[in-house]
Structure formats: C-alpha cells, structure tokens
Amino acid sequence: MIKYIIDYLIRASLTNSDLYTIRDKETNHNHRALLVYSAISTFFFSFTCIAAFATRLPAMLEKAPIYAGFAMFSIVSLAIAFAVGKKNHTVVGILCHIFYPMLLCFGLFSSLVISCDEPSTSLLAMYVVSPLLFVMRPIHIVIITIIADFIFLYYCGSVKPAEIVGTEIVNCIVYSGIGMIVGIFNVRDKCQRMLFENRVSQFSTKDQLTHNLRSISDIYVSMHQINLDSDTFFSIRTNNFIDSSVDSFNENFSRQITLAMTATTAPEYLDRILDFVNTKTLPDRLRGKRTITQEFMGKNFGWCRARFIAIGPVNTEVKPSQVIYAVENISEQKKIETTLIAKAETDAMTGLLNRQAGIDKIKTAINENRIGMLALFDVDKFKHINDNYGHQMGDEVIIAVANAMKETFREEDILLRLGGDEYIFFVSGVSNEEQGIQIISRFFESISRITFEKVNNLNISVSLGATFLNGEEGIDFEEYYRRIDNCTYRSKKIEGKAFTFWRDE
C-alpha cells in the first residue's frame, strides 16, 4: 500500500518510460497554460496598478508596488514562454514550478495583507484552481500546498480578527485538501489521456506489424522497435529493471542497450551479450536473415533469450534499417531441457551416467588432453548373488555400489554404469599410482560399508583395473578401454577386493 502511494505521488502510477513518452505532450500543455495564465495575470496586475495610480487612493497606492511586482513577474514569465517555445522541456518545467507557487503567494498576500479583515476568498480560490492549471508530478502539488498552509496558519492568528480565525483555519485546511485531491486526480487523468493519445498516434503512424507486436509482447520480458539509421527506438514493452538502468527512453539506442544489458546480465555472460547487441555489426549479422538469437543468464529473470528481428524484406543485398529487439524468459524451457537431457543421459536404476553419455564425456576428456585416472570394475561373483538371492537382491547390489561411487567421488568426476554389474569412473587431476591408490582405497572402504537388511552375511567385493590419462597423443578411448579391461581381468584372479594399474611393459 505504501509503495503504491509513493508511486502514485511521484510518477502518477506511470512507468519512467511512460512519463518520457508523454514528455512532449506534457510540455506542450504546460506551455499553452503558461501563455494563457501569465497573459491574464499580466493584464490583471497591470490594470490594478494603473487603477491605483489613477484613483490615487492611499490604500491602493500602498499596495501598488506589490501589484507591480506580480505584474513584472507575469510579464517575464510570458516573455520567456514565448521565447523558448514548447520544445524546451526544462525551461517550461521550471516556469511552471515557479508560476504555480506565485499564484498561491498572491492568494496569501491578498488574504493576509490586502483583505486581512475579511474571509480569505482569494486564497481558497487559488487552492482549488491552481492545481488544475499545469501538469506536474502530484508530489509537487502536495509540497507547495502544504508550505502555503503553514505560512497561512502561522500568520492567520496575528492578522485575522479573532472571531473568524477558527473558520479561516478550517477553511484553509478543507480547501487546500480539496485542491490537493482534485489536483492529483487531474494530473493523473491528464497523464493517462496523454499516454493514450500517444499510443493511438503511434499506432496510427505505424503499420499493422506494430499492432501485432503489441498483441504478442506479453510473452516477452521486454520488446523495443529500433531505427538503426537514426539510433532511435520506442518501447513496446519494458520493465522497471530496464527503465532504472538507462538515461534515455527514445534516443541513442546503442548506448541505452549497453547500459541495460550491463545492469541486467550475469557477469559471466556479459561479454557475449554485448557483442550480440552491438549495433555497429548488427546490420551485417542480420543481412539475409529474419532473426538472430543469443541466450544468456539474467540477474533478475534467470535464463533469457535475446532476439533481433528484421522488419521488412529480407535479402542478402540490403542491410535492415528497422529491427525489433525482444528478450524472452526461457527459464522454464531450460528446466525442461535440462530434465530431458538428464533423463536421456542417466541410467534409470542407479542415477549414474548411462553407457553412451558416460563414454561420450570420457572421449571429450581424452580429446581435451585432460589429466586423470580412468578405471573399470565389476562386482565379484555377481552371478552367484543373482542365483542364490534372486534378481531383486542383485538390483540392490548394483544400486548400493553406485551409491558408494557417489559417496566417494566428486561431482565433476565422470561416473557411469557400463551395463550389468560393470562400472567406469574417470577422476580428474589424478596422474600417478600413489594418488590413484588413495582414491581406490577410499572407494573400497565405501564398498566395505555396504550392508543389506535381508542378507546380513553378504559382503561385496569388486575387481578393478585402472590407467592414467597423461595427454598421450594418438590414443583413443578404445585403447584406454582395452588397457583397463585387461587390468580388471588380472584383478579377478586375486581373492577379495583387488585393483591393478596398467603398466606399459
């Protein structure tokens, strides 16, 4: 609730890009209001000054300098507004934020100085009317009105007759409150109307593609249309993370996209995504293509896919000048892909890698010249276990041995069930027999701890053969497998848990 109120007061419930979009219309409205009301103010105060000198009434002559001061301020405001025109957002905004408090100052002056013995009609009128004149953020209306309230309440008791002080205080609070509420709703209504008019204008000046893009943009985290020739763009869909990271919402797309992606992309993916959004190389990369994509990890939305889409005809002779840049959240898709890949690579019974996936990973390690120990082993007398205790017990043995492997080895090591009771593992970084013995001994200890509820006296032992990958050239997986298979066969001749290293004799 508090967040909504703050957002309502500061941005009239619009996003930063929405406010930027209506900036021209807002300035145009305020410029017209400045011309009209400064002209009226100039006429009113100038006429009052002339009347004061014409009538020579002491009461009016006494206040003539004040009227002259307001008249001069109005003339200056009118002249500046005429000079800068409706395109100067900054100057028009400053004039509005000065002119609005000056109207309340006149109300205060009239109530506390000119008509101090009478009800503060002019101040109350300014409270209600002034917030309707300009389009400014609601918080500015609230702050200016509250300051005027404090000034009036501070001096009211000393300049107003005692019999009307209470009524004046109540009227001040009530009418200033009405003015703030009416002003806030008026500003929000005008901003919403300007935004709607701008969107209708954009729609009417773009082709049907823009309408279709607006219809499908909800499936994207963000979507922008870019003119590569002028480096300008407009938002079809955006979000607060992007809005807070850029310094322009329509111009200098090449800079804004760099700021946005730097702020929202995980560091390890930043270089590749910045290369992807590089507008200098984009036309050549898109030549002859309808779309190009790049996946990356976002800081706020998880896995994302960035996409450039060429607008208009696609051929190899012409570089695209109009493109759509869209970012889609694909975290759910990635989860599904990861699950499917894991299922395809995993041995259903043990959770280890299956034969094909495991061998592929070992071949990759061989091709990358990775250092490590490759080992093959099987369960001793496994046929005897199946024949005497049943196949269900045999399955439990296979699973228990796999769990011992998971307990012993690291996540980065390659563990696979080759089939039946045969397993292979590859342990990275192990380059000699001394290290290998430590690893194998630890694994054998895990094997020794295996117990079964149904069969108390069943002790599992394995026979293992191992060799080392030391970056030798010209040796493929088949040769390494021949070596460890040969060593496993030798270990089989030894009673109990045994292992043999391959030595080139």
Side-chain angles (χ1 to χ4, degrees):
M1 182 65 180
I2 295 176
K3 183 178 181 300
Y4 175 79
I5 293 174
I6 293 174
D7 182 64
Y8 196 103
L9 289 175
I10 294 177
R11 293 193 295 268
S13 295
L14 300 177
T15 66
N16 289 334
S17 61
D18 286 339
L19 292 173
Y20 188 91
T21 299
I22 64 173
R23 185 176 65 162
D24 288 341
K25 289 183 176 294
E26 180 181 331
T27 302
N28 189 38
H29 171 88
N30 287 339
H31 183 258
R32 289 198 307 270
L34 275 172
L35 293 178
V36 172
Y37 296 113
S38 59
I40 293 173
S41 178
T42 298
F43 173 79
F44 172 79
F45 288 118
S46 298
F47 177 81
T48 306
C49 285
I50 293 171
F53 287 109
T55 59
R56 310 296 295 178
L57 293 174
M60 292 192 68
L61 284 174
E62 182 181 344
K63 300 176 182 66
I66 303 297
Y67 289 125
F70 280 115
M72 286 301 301
F73 169 77
S74 301
I75 292 171
V76 171
S77 298
L78 183 62
I80 295 176
F82 263 120
V84 301
K86 61 184 179 182
K87 296 296 184 182
N88 196 314
H89 307 289
T90 303
V91 175
V92 172
I94 292 173
L95 287 176
C96 290
H97 284 82
I98 295 175
F99 197 86
Y100 176 39
M102 288 303 296
L103 292 176
L104 291 183
C105 286
F106 169 72
L108 289 170
F109 174 74
S110 177
S111 299
L112 298 175
V113 178
I114 298 177
S115 307
C116 56
D117 296 331
E118 300 174 5
S120 305
T121 306
S122 58
L123 175 61
L124 302 183
M126 290 297 103
Y127 272 141
V128 176
V129 174
S130 298
L132 303 176
L133 304 183
F134 305 109
V135 177
M136 58 180 63
R137 300 292 81 82
I139 192 66
H140 297 154
I141 296 174
V142 173
I143 292 173
I144 294 170
T145 303
I146 290 176
I147 291 174
D149 279 346
F150 275 114
I151 294 173
F152 180 79
L153 295 175
Y154 182 81
Y155 288 104
C156 178
S158 58
V159 301
K160 291 287 184 179
E163 61 271 16
I164 66 170
V165 167
T167 303
E168 288 289 84
I169 292 174
V170 171
N171 284 341
C172 170
I173 295 173
V174 170
Y175 279 89
S176 65
I178 293 173
M180 281 192 290
I181 294 172
V182 172
I184 290 171
F185 277 95
N186 174 68
V187 166
R188 186 174 184 275
D189 180 67
K190 286 180 178 177
C191 287
Q192 293 285 2
R193 193 182 321 124
M194 290 176 184
L195 184 61
F196 174 76
E197 291 172 353
N198 188 73
R199 285 174 174 169
V200 170
S201 173
Q202 283 185 343
F203 177 74
S204 62
T205 57
K206 305 295 179 182
D207 59 16
Q208 190 63 29
L209 173 63
T210 302
H211 172 66
N212 294 337
L213 287 172
R214 290 183 186 279
S215 300
I216 67 171
S217 65
D218 284 347
I219 69 173
Y220 291 96
V221 174
S222 65
M223 182 181 284
H224 296 78
Q225 184 165 329
I226 304 104
N227 185 321
L228 295 175
D229 292 337
S230 61
D231 204 25
T232 57
F233 65 103
F234 75 88
S235 298
I236 298 170
R237 180 178 177 82
T238 185
N239 58 69
N240 289 331
F241 297 110
I242 293 175
D243 287 350
S244 61
S245 63
V246 301
D247 53 29
S248 173
F249 298 100
N250 286 102
E251 300 174 347
N252 200 351
F253 175 78
S254 55
R255 169 178 166 77
Q256 306 314 319
I257 191 62
T258 300
L259 292 174
M261 300 315 294
T262 300
T264 59
T265 303
E268 60 269 31
Y269 294 88
L270 184 57
D271 288 343
R272 72 181 69 172
I273 198 65
L274 290 181
D275 287 340
F276 179 72
V277 300
N278 187 336
T279 55
K280 293 181 180 178
T281 62
L282 178 60
D284 285 321
R285 286 184 284 130
L286 257 181
R287 188 199 295 265
K289 301 176 183 176
R290 176 60 68 189
T291 183
I292 57 175
T293 63
Q294 174 67 55
E295 294 181 0
F296 67 98
M297 178 66 74
K299 293 179 181 178
N300 310 108
F301 298 100
W303 275 104
C304 296
R305 180 184 293 118
R307 181 185 299 274
F308 280 108
I309 306 169
I311 299 175
V314 174
N315 60 69
T316 57
E317 303 300 322
V318 180
K319 296 179 182 180
S321 60
Q322 295 277 342
V323 298
I324 297 295
Y325 178 68
V327 177
E328 177 185 4
N329 181 267
I330 58 170
S331 291
E332 287 301 318
Q333 178 183 331
K334 280 291 185 180
K335 288 180 182 177
I336 294 172
E337 288 178 1
T338 301
T339 301
L340 292 175
I341 291 172
K343 286 182 178 180
E345 293 183 343
T346 303
D347 176 68
M349 181 181 291
T350 63
L352 301 178
L353 292 171
N354 59 29
R355 181 188 186 97
Q356 186 60 53
I359 290 177
D360 286 344
K361 290 183 183 295
I362 292 173
K363 287 181 177 179
T364 299
I366 294 171
N367 293 333
E368 292 175 352
N369 293 322
R370 286 164 58 185
I371 305 299
M373 179 175 68
L374 181 66
L376 165 71
F377 70 90
D378 60 16
V379 179
D380 294 337
K381 300 177 182 179
F382 184 70
K383 185 177 184 301
H384 173 77
I385 295 172
N386 272 332
D387 292 342
N388 287 274
Y389 300 104
H391 289 284
Q392 183 176 352
M393 191 66 223
D395 290 346
E396 290 186 25
V397 170
I398 289 173
I399 294 171
V401 171
N403 290 338
M405 293 176 70
K406 296 175 188 175
E407 178 185 321
T408 303
F409 301 109
R410 303 164 299 183
E411 287 188 10
E412 60 265 33
D413 296 330
I414 302 172
L415 314 178
L416 66 121
R417 181 187 175 203
L418 199 60
D421 63 317
E422 289 188 310
Y423 305 82
I424 289 180
F425 60 79
F426 174 75
V427 186
S428 298
V430 178
S431 58
N432 55 62
E433 291 187 8
E434 182 180 354
Q435 294 174 331
I437 290 172
Q438 293 178 359
I439 298 294
I440 294 171
S441 298
R442 192 162 67 241
F443 173 53
F444 280 2
E445 288 176 7
S446 296
I447 293 290
S448 298
R449 291 194 292 269
I450 296 175
T451 59
F452 302 95
E453 293 182 3
K454 297 178 181 179
V455 183
N456 295 327
N457 61 346
L458 181 58
N459 296 316
I460 304 300
S461 66
V462 300
S463 298
L464 184 148
T467 189
F468 297 96
L469 277 64
N470 290 312
E472 297 178 75
E473 295 183 1
I475 301 180
D476 57 14
F477 173 77
E478 283 70 24
E479 172 59 22
Y480 282 119
Y481 181 79
R482 186 190 66 79
R483 293 179 180 182
I484 57 179
D485 185 53
N486 183 280
C487 291
T488 301
Y489 178 75
R490 295 181 191 176
S491 297
K492 281 285 185 186
K493 297 178 181 181
I494 305 172
E495 187 67 27
K497 292 186 286 291
F499 62 89
T500 304
F501 288 116
W502 166 264
R503 295 188 178 94
D504 190 8
E505 299 173 351

